[in-house]
Amino acid sequence: MTLPHPTRAAGLARLAAFTPSMGRAYADRRNADPGPEAERDGWPEHVSKLSPYLRYRLIDEQEVLAAALDAHGPDKAEKFVSEVLWRGYFRGWLEQRPGTWPAYVAGRDAALALVDANGGVARDYRAACEGRTGIDCFDAWATELTTRNWLHNHARMWFASIWIFTLRLPWELGADFFLRHLIDGDSASNTLSWRWVAGLHTRGKAYAARADNIARYTGGRFAPTGLVEDVEPLVEDGEVPRAAFAPPPLPQPAGDWALVLHEGDMGIATPIGRAPSRVIGLASPDPRAAPAVRAFAKGALADAVARAGEMYGCPGVVVQEAAAVGDAAAGAVPVAPYVPVGVIGDRGGLPVATFVRDYDAAIWPLATAGFFKVKTGAPARLRALGLPA
Ligand SMILES: Cc1cc2nc3c(=O)[nH]c(=O)nc-3n(C[C@H](O)[C@H](O)[C@H](O)COP(=O)(O)OP(=O)(O)OC[C@H]3O[C@@H](n4cnc5c(N)ncnc54)[C@H](O)[C@@H]3O)c2cc1C
């Protein structure tokens, strides 16, 4: 089993290795999931597996898009660019409807209480998580998720659909299972993708996992039977209100300031014109997350703090709780990259002064409704950021 190495150097090496495949080859082959056996040195054949690095911002969307566009141009790189934009779309959508997150958490907690109270649900839930449903592909993906901590996008879609419509388990429990085990587990992409499969994101349009589609795109590895293919989208009452995303003003600390990196954003570049006097990494491991996920986050933070300390020529320290940030700042004003809605935001206690990155400020406001507005509005905004989109 090979887990990605949690350093920017490893992310950049993968980016360089996959860049030649970001053009037509990606568009033609990205839906195929030949499975872990076909991986070479832990890397899948047809997709980048850059998601853990993007998730923690060891590398960022702008440099990944630059690599794709420089190498292939906007036409040939169109599909890859579009997939990277989906990440910003989901993030921007959640930032504009933050109430979606606590609603999910409440639904998850209610579903977990149901598992505790109802023996039948508990049995089905455990069988699903432990890969004992008797549905060949589903059981293999459950095992792949818990042992390798990553799944191909198509497998995620099929898995979520089978979880919701064939096994009839609460979608929030499936989203939670993913978030605890995915090494790229992201509150926005994960929650909203599960809602999309369920028919709650694009209302009335659910995703059906079909046996022939699974057999075709897994190279005949699976022949599932008994799938519910005629799916009835889930429904819910009401709609979470939207508030347009407005980036907070750029912090202007008068004296020394401390850069606080956290699990929502470990990018070390800042828009503040002066170097920080110290770098603080705030580790906030999710106690519910799988050990491999916590290990990746811990390694990524250590890597980011070490690089930032070197780049800014200042001390770097990792603290274990938000309450320790003030002391670690030693009189400097703590400033952090924007703290996103979701698991990280829930922890609280992070500095009030945050900055939003140019890419996020460009893409997130476009996520007012469906993906189309992001897809059509992004090229001009990417060009304004200097990308050949
Ligand atoms: C049910 C479900 C749950 C998901 N949960 C997560 C999650 O927790 N974290 C996460 O990062 N992605 C999630 N995704 C989206 C997607 O599956 C992964 O981003 C992708 O599989 C990562 O593999 P890759 O890096 O090889 O992607 P590539 O195909 O190489 O794409 C490059 C990058 O674009 C972004 N991207 C690609 N596809 C999507 C997509 N559909 N939605 C959002 N961003 C995308 C990712 O950052 C990815 O690294 C989920 C999708 C589904 C259907």
Side-chain angles (χ1 to χ4, degrees):
M1 177 182 61
T2 315
L3 286 167
H5 200 52
T7 62
R8 175 168 164 81
L12 287 176
R14 177 57 183 165
L15 176 60
F18 193 73
T19 297
S21 307
M22 287 175 179
R24 290 260 151 82
Y26 177 81
D28 291 346
R29 304 186 310 196
R30 62 177 283 275
N31 277 328
D33 178 14
E37 300 305 319
E39 287 184 357
R40 283 201 205 126
D41 301 326
W43 299 108
E45 263 191 292
H46 307 317
V47 291
S48 71
K49 201 173 177 177
L50 285 169
S51 50
Y53 300 99
L54 285 162
R55 154 69 182 82
Y56 289 98
R57 286 237 157 110
L58 292 182
I59 58 176
D60 65 36
E61 289 91 333
Q62 223 170 299
E63 57 193 323
V64 170
L65 291 172
L69 289 162
D70 285 341
H72 301 283
D75 290 342
K76 289 187 182 148
E78 188 265 333
K79 195 67 201 166
F80 186 81
V81 168
S82 174
E83 293 306 314
V84 175
L85 288 172
W86 269 98
R87 177 175 166 73
Y89 164 68
F90 281 141
R91 174 51 59 199
W93 198 97
L94 190 61
E95 292 298 335
Q96 297 189 59
R97 294 172 188 77
T100 309
W101 175 255
Y104 153 70
V105 171
R108 177 201 69 192
D109 291 348
L112 286 169
L114 184 67
V115 168
D116 282 343
N118 184 316
V121 177
R123 192 194 54 228
D124 293 349
Y125 170 59
R126 293 213 177 92
C129 295
E130 290 164 14
R132 293 185 287 100
T133 65
I135 302 171
D136 59 1
C137 54
F138 186 94
D139 291 347
W141 293 322
T143 304
E144 195 178 332
L145 175 65
T146 52
T147 56
R148 306 176 70 97
N149 303 92
W150 187 85
L151 287 176
H152 185 281
N153 180 60
H154 223 160
R156 297 183 199 207
M157 291 162 64
W158 293 317
F159 186 98
S161 180
I162 295 170
W163 180 287
I164 297 166
F165 299 111
T166 298
L167 302 176
R168 299 204 177 281
L169 285 162
W171 73 267
E172 295 96 333
L173 288 184
D176 178 54
F177 182 46
F178 266 29
L179 207 49
R180 286 186 288 116
H181 288 281
L182 281 173
I183 209 157
D184 62 21
D186 177 87
S187 304
S189 287
N190 190 58
T191 310
L192 299 179
S193 294
W194 274 84
R195 287 178 59 82
W196 178 83
V197 171
L200 296 168
H201 184 77
T202 308
R203 296 226 162 169
K205 195 168 166 264
Y207 176 76
R210 299 189 194 286
D212 59 345
N213 182 267
I214 292 171
R216 176 175 166 205
Y217 285 107
T218 58
R221 285 185 296 135
F222 302 115
T225 55
L227 302 189
V228 172
E229 300 190 1
D230 190 10
V231 300
E232 191 66 38
L234 303 190
V235 287
E236 64 186 2
D237 293 335
E239 207 161 308
V240 172
R242 183 178 84 85
F245 178 76
L250 183 64
Q252 309 278 359
D256 283 351
W257 69 281
L259 173 62
V260 183
L261 303 175
H262 53 79
E263 292 191 4
D265 190 334
M266 300 179 185
I268 67 171
T270 87
I272 296 172
R274 290 179 296 113
S277 60
R278 44 190 59 225
V279 176
I280 302 166
L282 173 58
S284 40
D286 182 351
R288 299 181 70 245
V293 175
R294 277 185 272 144
F296 190 90
K298 184 178 173 191
L301 191 63
D303 177 68
V305 168
R307 282 184 293 105
E310 197 171 314
M311 181 163 119
Y312 295 117
C314 68
V317 61
V318 172
V319 299
Q320 303 300 323
E321 51 188 43
V325 167
D327 281 352
V333 178
V335 179
Y338 186 80
V339 182
V341 172
V343 174
I344 311 301
D346 278 357
R347 308 257 166 81
L350 276 154
V352 183
T354 64
F355 57 81
V356 174
R357 300 192 185 280
D358 290 347
Y359 176 86
D360 298 336
I363 301 301
W364 291 359
L366 296 172
T368 53
F371 178 66
F372 186 71
K373 278 193 183 173
V374 172
K375 190 166 168 60
T376 51
R381 294 186 174 211
L382 295 180
R383 283 195 291 279
L385 293 174
L387 293 169

